[in-house]
């Protein structure tokens, strides 16, 4: 089994190393990750400038490739032929914060996994809800390995990816979940540069979410590992009839 590993926090991120070390016993690994932090970069394709891949190494000496582009670029380059072997699985992470609810459209971690799905390879995003225990990747790494083993055994229907979120510490078990809803508490912060010109940060408090049973947010809030099957079809199927009536 050949597994491609990437992330959105950059090639030096400790979560990438933890993920690599968890999956290494399962097969051949290739690491292609952004050279810098691309968190919240969304799903992008760099088309207006060249992309470069530089040889790099993880902290344990594992050979890796540092990509000048985004997480989704890294996966695209690898799967379009930079990796000569057939890639069986793509894992992205371990992100140091949860990726749930509407985070999914912002998340470089998740969109890297979705880029794999576009290319016909199962993609798995791995995040730890690390706000209370920063730097604790052990539970998420173990969960990622379990998912890889089950994927190897069961496969995944074409067009699907997986979004794995793990509480830090000792999880209470697993919950198969649906995407929930974040409650963002973003606030615009205006500052002024030395010439008096305003500039802005998107600041505010960390997001919470709606604690509805069955959702990714609920599972994490109750200490469970959350695993959500993802698809790329964003169609609001329930809205199709109402929209069709606009043209009646
Ligand atoms: Mn990140």
């Amino acid at each position: 089994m050949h597994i491609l590993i990437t992330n959105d926090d950059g090639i030096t991120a400790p979560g990438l190393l933890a993920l690599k070390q968890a999956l290494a016993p399962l097969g051949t690994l290739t690491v292609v990750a952004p050279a810098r932090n691309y968190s919240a970069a969304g799903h992008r394709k760099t088309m207006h400038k060249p992309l470069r891949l530089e040889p790099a190494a993880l902290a344990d000496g594992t050979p890796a490739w540092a990509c000048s582009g985004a997480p989704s670029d890294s996966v695209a380059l690898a799967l379009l032929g930079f990796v000569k072997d057939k890639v069986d699985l793509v894992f992205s992470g371990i992100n140091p914060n949860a990726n749930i609810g509407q985070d999914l459209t912002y998340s470089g971690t998740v969109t890297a996994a979705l880029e794999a799905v576009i290319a016909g390879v199962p993609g798995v995003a791995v995040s730890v809800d690390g706000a209370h225990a920063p730097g604790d990747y052990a539970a998420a790494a173990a969960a990622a390995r379990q998912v890889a083993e089950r994927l190897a055994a069961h496969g995944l229907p074409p067009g699907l990816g997986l979004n794995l979120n793990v509480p830090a510490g000792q999880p209470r078990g697993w919950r198969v979940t649906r995407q929930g809803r974040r409650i963002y508490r973003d606030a615009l912060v205006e500052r002024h540069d030395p010439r008096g010109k305003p500039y802005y940060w998107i600041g505010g408090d960390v997001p919470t979410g709606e604690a509805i049973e069955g959702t990714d947010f609920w599972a994490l809030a109750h200490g469970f590992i959350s695993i959500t099957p993802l698809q790329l079809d964003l169609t609001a199927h329930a809205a199709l009839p109402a929209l069709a009536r606009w043209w009646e």
Side-chain angles (χ1 to χ4, degrees):
M1 185 157 66
H2 195 135
I3 306 174
L4 174 71
I5 293 181
T6 192
N7 74 346
D8 78 353
D9 303 304
I11 194 110
T12 60
L16 182 70
L17 178 64
L19 182 61
K20 180 263 154 193
Q21 291 178 339
L23 300 182
L26 303 181
T28 306
L29 264 56
T30 300
V31 181
V32 182
R36 66 160 174 92
N37 193 324
Y38 260 99
S39 292
H43 201 161
R44 70 163 74 183
K45 182 175 285 185
T46 297
M47 299 179 73
H48 306 291
K49 57 184 176 186
L51 290 164
R52 294 186 187 276
L53 290 164
E54 302 286 350
L58 304 188
D60 67 352
T62 303
W65 294 93
C67 177
S68 62
S72 42
D73 290 320
S74 303
V75 171
L77 287 187
L79 298 183
L80 284 169
F82 181 74
V83 177
K84 301 299 176 210
D85 292 355
K86 175 180 173 287
V87 172
D88 301 295
L89 299 174
V90 175
F91 272 74
S92 173
I94 298 169
N95 196 67
N97 294 105
N99 276 305
I100 57 179
Q102 304 95 307
D103 298 342
L104 271 61
T105 56
Y106 297 110
S107 170
T109 308
V110 172
T111 50
L114 294 178
E115 184 67 22
V117 173
I118 287 175
V121 178
V124 183
V126 187
S127 307
V128 63
D129 190 12
H132 304 297
D136 181 2
Y137 294 101
R145 179 172 167 160
Q146 286 190 49
V147 169
E149 288 168 346
R150 278 165 176 74
L151 263 174
H154 299 286
L156 201 61
L160 298 189
L162 295 173
N163 185 31
L164 176 66
N165 283 277
V166 182
Q170 191 63 45
R172 291 171 63 194
W174 291 72
R175 287 288 184 275
V176 175
T177 60
R178 66 181 186 274
Q179 187 180 349
R181 199 142 59 163
R182 275 292 200 197
I183 299 168
Y184 290 115
R185 298 185 290 174
D186 293 348
L188 188 65
V189 177
E190 182 179 327
R191 301 260 163 83
H192 290 84
D193 71 18
R195 284 159 293 283
K197 199 169 180 227
Y199 65 95
Y200 303 92
W201 289 98
I202 297 173
D205 293 329
V206 295
T208 62
E210 295 178 356
I212 297 168
E213 190 161 358
T215 64
D216 46 16
F217 180 84
W218 185 95
L220 285 182
H222 290 80
F224 293 103
I225 298 169
S226 167
I227 185 158
T228 310
L230 299 181
Q231 60 187 9
L232 282 151
D233 181 357
L234 299 178
T235 309
H237 290 272
L240 287 171
L243 187 60
R245 280 198 291 276
W246 291 11
W247 279 270
E248 277 172 7

